[in-house]
Amino acid sequence: MSIGIAIRRFSVRGCIGLAAAMLCALLLRATAEAQTVPLPSWNDGPAKQAIISFVKDVTDKSGNKFVDPEDRIATFDQDGTLWVEQPLYTQAMFALDRIHELAPDHPEWKQREPFRAILAGDRAALAKFSESDWEVIVAATHTGMSTESFENIVKQWIANAKDPRFHRRYTELIYKPMLEVMEFLRANGFKTYIVTGGGQEFVRAYSHRIYGIPREKVVGSSVVAKYEYQNGRPVLMRDPKVFFIDDRAGKPVGINLFIGKQPRAAFGNSTGDQQMLEWTQAGAGARLMMLVLHDDAKREYAYGPAAGLPNSKIGTFTDALMNEAHRNGWVVISMKRDWKQIFEFDK
Amino acid sequence: MSIGIAIRRFSVRGCIGLAAAMLCALLLRATAEAQTVPLPSWNDGPAKQAIISFVKDVTDKSGNKFVDPEDRIATFDQDGTLWVEQPLYTQAMFALDRIHELAPDHPEWKQREPFRAILAGDRAALAKFSESDWEVIVAATHTGMSTESFENIVKQWIANAKDPRFHRRYTELIYKPMLEVMEFLRANGFKTYIVTGGGQEFVRAYSHRIYGIPREKVVGSSVVAKYEYQNGRPVLMRDPKVFFIDDRAGKPVGINLFIGKQPRAAFGNSTGDQQMLEWTQAGAGARLMMLVLHDDAKREYAYGPAAGLPNSKIGTFTDALMNEAHRNGWVVISMKRDWKQIFEFDK
C-alpha cells in the first residue's frame, strides 16, 4: 500500500470514527439530561442549591473552578450522615446481639460486666458504658476470627436484624436524599468514599450493595490483622488490638492514608467529622462542606442543638460545631426542611 | 405530545443511538486490536505465555475461569519488580543524599553514627548498617515535616538525582516489560496496585507519572501522621514513628486493609513478596503468581540464586523462595531469557 492510500484510508476511518463518537456523545448527553432531575427527594433551598452549584462549578470546563475528574473526591461519614444512628450505632446493636448469641459458650459472662448488663437487658447500666467497656465488647464480638468469618457473621446479621423503632432492616434506614447526592456526584465524575469512625470491615460487608460504594472505597477503624496459616491455608486473623481509629483527627489521617488526596466535598453530622470538613476546606479551589442536622423527631430523630438536648454519647452535633459551621460557611442540612422524603419506604 | 409520537420519537432516537454505539464499538475494537500486540518487549516463552493465557481465561465470558471486572485486581511489588533495586533501594539513595543535604544544619552528625559513615562515604560501614541504623536515617530524612513538604522534597530529588551505574534518572530505570504487563492488565479491566515495602508517600510522589498508577492505588509502609494546625491551617505532620510495615506478612495485611480483596495476579521478586503471592493463590479460580529473577548481569544485575551469590540485604530471592515457587507453580521470569528489552533507553 502506498503511503498516500494509507493516509487516505486513515483519514476516512478517522472521520467515520470521529462522527460516530460525536453522535454517541450527543446522544449520551441527551439521555443523561433527560434522566437527570437531580436530588428529587430534596426540597428547594440553600442546601440543595449548594450541592447543585458546587457540581456545576467543578464540572464547568470554561469556569475557573473546574476540577480535574481525577481530583473529584467526595467523602461521607456513615452513622447519622448516611443512615440512622439512634438509639445506638448499628454496629453497637450488632455487638449486643452477638453477646447474646455467644453467651451460652461463656457462662462466666452472667457475673462479669459489661456482659452482665447486656444479658440482663440493664438499660441504665448500658447507657453508662465507658470507652473501655465498649472495647471489651468489641474484642469479644469482633475479633478472634478470620476476616472472612467476620464478614460472613456481619452479612448474616445484617440480612436479618431489625431496628427497634421502625421494625425495618438497618439497611433500609439509609437516607434517600444522601443516596441521591452520592449518585449525583458519581454521575459527575466524583469518586465517593465512606469515611467512618465505624469498623472498616463491618461496613464493607454491605457498602456496595446498599450505597454503591465498593470495598476499597470504605475507610474506617480497624483492628490489627495477623497473617497465619490454618491447615496450610493462609488466613488473616482479627486480633483484639486497635490498629487505627478513623474518627475526629483520625479522619484526615485516614483520608491521606487511603485516598492520598484532599476531598473536594465532605459530608458529616457530628464532632467526629469536624476535622474531615476542615481538611476538605483547607485545599484550594471549590469545596463543599455539609453537616446533617437531626431535627425531625417525627420522621427520624431530633437531637443535638436542634432539640435543645444535652450532648448524647453519639451523634454529637455540639453548639461548638454549629458555631464552626457558621464561621466557616459549612452548609447545615435540616432533615425537617430540606428533605422531602427521608427513607425509601417513607412515602 | 401524544404517547404514540413520544414512543416513535423514542424509538427513532434509540435506533440512531444503537447504530452509533455499535459503530463506535466496532471502530474502537478494530483500533484496540490493531494496537494490541501485547507484551512486545517479551520473548516468547512460558512467562509471556502464562500472562497471556491468564488474561484470556479471566476475560472469557464463556469459560469457567471468567472473573468479574470488579474482582480483577493485580498487585506489583516495586523494588526489583518494577525498577532497579541495586546497588541500594532508590529510597535509601534518597535518604543518603538527604543526609548530605541536611548535614550543614547538624554539625554533630560528623561524630555520630550512622551519620558519620554516610558523610565520610564509608562504604564498608554503610554495608553493615542494621535495621535500627536505617530507622535513625529514615527518621532524620523522612519525618518532621508535613506530608505536603515531604512530597515536594521527593519530587525535586527524583527529578534530578541519577543512578551511579547507568547515569540515568531513577525513573528511567523502570522495566519496560513490566510496564507492558500493567498496561495489558489494565486494558483488560484490571485494577493495578503497587504493594511495596517502601514508603507509601515516597512512591506516590511519582507513581502516576511513571507507572500510570494513581496515589490511591499505592499501598506501602508508612509513618504515623498527626493532624495539627499551623497558623490556623490544618496540616498532617510526619512523626518519627512507624505506623505500618507493608512487607512480608504485612503485604497481605496491607492488601486487605487498602483493597479488601484478594488479588488475582501478583508480581514480586523476593522473600518480601512471598506472603503476597501465597495470599493471591489462596483464593479460588484463576490466579497468576510471578517472580522476577535477576539473572542478567550485563543488562541489569545478577543476584540471588541466579548468580550463586549469598543473600544480600536487599532483593533476597532465596533458594527457599525458589523452592516454594516450584512447589506452588509460581512462574519465574528470567530477565535474561524472557525480556527482549529491559529499559526504554536500552535499544
Side-chain angles (χ1 to χ4, degrees):
Chain A
M1 192 192 301
S2 79
I3 290 179
I5 293 174
I7 288 174
R8 253 171 295 149
R9 279 208 181 179
F10 176 78
S11 51
V12 169
R13 268 201 200 172
C15 200
I16 297 175
L18 192 65
M22 283 173 68
L23 192 57
C24 278
L26 280 171
L27 286 163
L28 285 171
R29 207 168 63 185
T31 314
E33 274 166 11
Q35 285 172 353
T36 308
V37 181
L39 312 178
S41 302
W42 290 69
N43 288 313
D44 287 330
K48 180 175 181 173
Q49 201 43 55
I51 301 166
I52 289 175
S53 301
F54 168 75
V55 169
K56 197 165 165 272
D57 284 347
V58 301
T59 54
D60 176 8
K61 275 205 165 173
S62 62
N64 60 1
K65 292 181 175 172
F66 179 75
V67 174
D68 201 87
E70 193 181 286
D71 292 326
R72 293 185 201 156
I73 307 287
T75 56
F76 293 82
D77 168 57
Q78 182 188 229
D79 297 298
T81 300
L82 295 179
W83 72 359
V84 174
E85 63 179 353
Q86 297 284 1
L88 276 178
Y89 295 133
T90 301
Q91 196 173 352
M93 291 294 201
F94 163 76
L96 299 184
D97 279 4
R98 190 123 184 89
I99 294 287
H100 283 282
E101 202 173 327
L102 295 170
D105 295 336
H106 298 273
E108 76 281 9
W109 283 358
K110 278 189 187 151
Q111 270 75 48
R112 196 196 301 166
E113 296 296 354
F115 305 105
R116 185 212 57 81
I118 298 168
L119 296 173
D122 181 346
R123 286 182 185 203
L126 208 143
K128 283 182 209 147
F129 279 175
S130 65
E131 277 297 308
S132 73
D133 286 328
W134 279 110
E135 272 172 31
V136 170
I137 295 164
V138 167
T141 55
H142 284 64
T143 71
M145 72 287 274
S146 70
T147 51
E148 201 182 336
S149 303
F150 180 69
E151 176 146 337
N152 288 334
I153 292 166
V154 176
K155 277 190 168 150
Q156 206 177 336
W157 180 81
I158 210 146
N160 295 295
K162 289 193 172 173
D163 164 86
R165 170 172 161 193
F166 297 94
H167 309 293
R168 297 271 180 172
R169 290 196 183 82
Y170 291 98
T171 49
E172 291 178 81
L173 300 183
I174 58 179
Y175 307 136
K176 193 165 184 281
M178 293 306 289
L179 271 187
E180 290 169 4
V181 173
M182 290 195 278
E183 280 158 13
F184 182 49
L185 289 171
R186 287 196 291 260
N188 282 282
F190 275 81
K191 295 188 182 80
T192 54
Y193 285 81
I194 289 175
V195 177
T196 175
Q200 186 182 36
E201 301 210 296
F202 182 85
V203 179
R204 278 178 174 172
Y206 55 80
S207 63
H208 201 192
R209 182 168 61 84
I210 75 169
Y211 301 123
I213 293 188
R215 310 169 66 83
E216 71 273 16
K217 292 199 171 64
V218 176
V219 179
S221 299
S222 50
V223 296
V224 169
K226 253 167 94 177
Y227 184 79
E228 284 178 13
Y229 302 92
Q230 284 180 0
N231 308 318
R233 190 178 160 254
V235 291
L236 289 173
M237 292 297 289
R238 291 171 58 86
D239 258 21
K241 247 163 61 186
V242 168
F243 177 68
F244 179 60
I245 298 291
D246 187 60
D247 202 25
R248 300 180 180 252
K251 288 205 175 187
V253 172
I255 288 169
N256 181 59
L257 194 66
F258 287 87
I259 313 175
K261 283 175 183 169
Q262 277 173 285
R264 286 286 167 167
F267 301 79
N269 78 307
S270 81
T271 49
D273 306 311
Q274 180 188 326
Q275 291 84 351
M276 173 167 79
L277 269 63
E278 289 171 358
W279 184 239
T280 301
Q281 189 164 31
R287 308 274 161 172
L288 178 66
M289 287 68 57
M290 299 190 89
L291 288 168
V292 175
L293 179 68
H294 295 263
D295 57 358
D296 193 331
K298 206 172 147 219
R299 295 187 299 171
E300 203 243 9
Y301 291 93
Y303 51 101
L309 289 178
N311 299 325
S312 69
K313 284 224 164 177
I314 60 166
T316 48
F317 196 140
T318 59
D319 291 337
L321 180 64
M322 186 62 100
N323 290 339
E324 187 170 353
H326 289 320
R327 202 166 51 241
N328 294 337
W330 299 349
V331 182
V332 175
I333 300 164
S334 157
M335 293 181 77
K336 194 171 181 172
R337 285 194 315 276
D338 289 317
W339 290 357
K340 218 177 274 180
Q341 188 181 340
I342 295 185
F343 305 113
E344 180 63 48
F345 60 81
D346 175 31
K347 306 242 161 145
Chain B
M1 193 193 302
S2 80
I3 290 179
I5 294 175
I7 288 173
R8 253 172 293 148
R9 278 209 182 177
F10 176 77
S11 51
V12 169
R13 269 201 198 171
C15 201
I16 297 175
L18 192 65
M22 283 174 67
L23 191 56
C24 278
L26 280 171
L27 285 164
L28 284 171
R29 204 168 66 187
T31 316
E33 274 168 10
Q35 285 171 353
T36 308
V37 180
L39 312 179
S41 303
W42 290 69
N43 287 313
D44 287 331
K48 180 175 181 172
Q49 201 43 55
I51 301 166
I52 289 175
S53 302
F54 168 76
V55 169
K56 195 163 168 273
D57 285 348
V58 300
T59 55
D60 176 7
K61 275 204 163 174
S62 62
N64 60 0
K65 291 181 175 172
F66 179 75
V67 175
D68 200 87
E70 193 181 289
D71 293 325
R72 293 185 200 157
I73 307 286
T75 55
F76 294 82
D77 168 56
Q78 181 189 231
D79 296 299
T81 299
L82 295 179
W83 72 359
V84 174
E85 63 178 352
Q86 298 284 3
L88 276 179
Y89 295 132
T90 302
Q91 196 173 352
M93 292 293 199
F94 163 76
L96 299 184
D97 279 3
R98 191 124 184 87
I99 294 287
H100 283 281
E101 202 173 327
L102 295 171
D105 295 335
H106 298 273
E108 75 282 9
W109 282 357
K110 279 190 185 149
Q111 271 76 48
R112 197 196 299 166
E113 295 296 353
F115 304 105
R116 186 211 58 80
I118 298 168
L119 295 173
D122 182 345
R123 286 182 185 202
L126 208 144
K128 283 182 208 145
F129 278 173
S130 66
E131 277 298 307
S132 72
D133 286 328
W134 280 110
E135 272 172 33
V136 170
I137 295 164
V138 167
T141 56
H142 284 63
T143 71
M145 72 288 275
S146 71
T147 51
E148 202 183 336
S149 302
F150 179 69
E151 176 147 338
N152 288 333
I153 293 167
V154 176
K155 275 189 169 150
Q156 205 178 336
W157 180 81
I158 210 146
N160 295 294
K162 289 194 171 172
D163 163 87
R165 171 172 160 192
F166 296 94
H167 309 293
R168 297 271 181 174
R169 292 199 181 79
Y170 291 98
T171 49
E172 292 178 82
L173 300 183
I174 59 180
Y175 306 136
K176 194 165 185 279
M178 293 306 289
L179 272 188
E180 290 170 3
V181 173
M182 290 194 277
E183 280 158 14
F184 181 50
L185 289 171
R186 287 196 290 259
N188 282 283
F190 275 81
K191 295 189 183 78
T192 54
Y193 285 82
I194 289 176
V195 177
T196 175
Q200 187 183 34
E201 301 211 295
F202 183 85
V203 179
R204 276 178 174 173
Y206 56 80
S207 63
H208 201 192
R209 182 168 61 85
I210 75 170
Y211 302 124
I213 293 188
R215 308 168 67 82
E216 70 272 16
K217 292 200 170 66
V218 176
V219 178
S221 300
S222 50
V223 296
V224 168
K226 254 167 95 179
Y227 185 77
E228 284 178 13
Y229 303 91
Q230 283 179 2
N231 307 318
R233 190 177 160 254
V235 291
L236 290 172
M237 292 297 291
R238 292 171 58 86
D239 259 21
K241 246 163 64 186
V242 168
F243 176 69
F244 179 59
I245 298 291
D246 188 60
D247 202 28
R248 300 178 180 255
K251 289 205 175 189
V253 173
I255 288 169
N256 181 59
L257 194 66
F258 287 88
I259 314 176
K261 284 176 181 169
Q262 277 173 285
R264 286 286 167 167
F267 301 80
N269 78 308
S270 81
T271 49
D273 305 311
Q274 181 188 325
Q275 291 84 351
M276 172 168 79
L277 269 63
E278 289 171 359
W279 184 238
T280 301
Q281 188 162 33
R287 308 276 162 171
L288 178 66
M289 287 67 58
M290 299 190 89
L291 288 169
V292 174
L293 180 68
H294 295 262
D295 59 356
D296 193 331
K298 206 171 146 221
R299 293 187 300 170
E300 205 243 10
Y301 291 93
Y303 51 100
L309 290 178
N311 299 327
S312 69
K313 283 221 166 178
I314 61 167
T316 48
F317 196 141
T318 59
D319 291 337
L321 180 63
M322 186 62 102
N323 290 338
E324 187 171 353
H326 289 320
R327 203 167 51 242
N328 294 338
W330 298 349
V331 182
V332 175
I333 300 165
S334 157
M335 293 180 78
K336 193 170 182 172
R337 285 194 315 274
D338 289 316
W339 289 357
K340 219 177 274 182
Q341 188 181 342
I342 295 185
F343 305 112
E344 180 63 47
F345 61 81
D346 174 30
K347 306 244 158 141

